[in-house]
Amino acid sequence: MEDVLKHIDVYDPRFCVAVIAIIFNPFFWNVVARWEHRTRGLTRLFGGPYLACYCLGTLIILLNVYRSHSMTVAMKP
């Protein structure tokens, strides 16, 4: 385990951004999905449940792309 940890610089900003992106994504999905379930706020905002679902799905995919990119950047030497 020490061999792995000596290759990780926790003070590197790229590493911190990647960790924040990894933590933020599932937190965001859960908060927004629970909020939508309770209030139907996205449905009202977008004018219908299908458009709201497609927009939320697109946003989640874009956040996953950013998370993957930030992880890739953090792993580059």
Side-chain angles (χ1 to χ4, degrees):
M1 189 65 160
E2 287 182 24
D3 293 336
V4 174
L5 292 177
K6 71 180 178 182
H7 294 290
I8 298 173
D9 180 15
V10 295
Y11 298 110
D12 183 14
R14 297 174 299 177
F15 177 76
C16 294
V17 168
V19 169
I20 290 169
I22 291 167
I23 293 170
F24 176 76
N25 277 352
F27 178 75
F28 174 79
W29 306 333
N30 282 310
V31 169
V32 172
R34 288 173 190 252
W35 174 73
E36 170 62 17
H37 182 70
R38 277 189 279 114
T39 66
R40 303 290 188 256
L42 291 175
T43 300
R44 285 193 307 267
L45 180 68
F46 288 102
Y50 293 107
L51 184 58
C53 184
Y54 289 134
C55 289
L56 179 59
T58 302
L59 182 60
I60 288 171
I61 289 171
L62 290 174
L63 285 172
N64 283 330
V65 168
Y66 179 73
R67 182 191 65 192
S68 296
H69 172 72
S70 64
M71 289 171 51
T72 303
V73 168
M75 289 189 291
K76 284 185 180 178

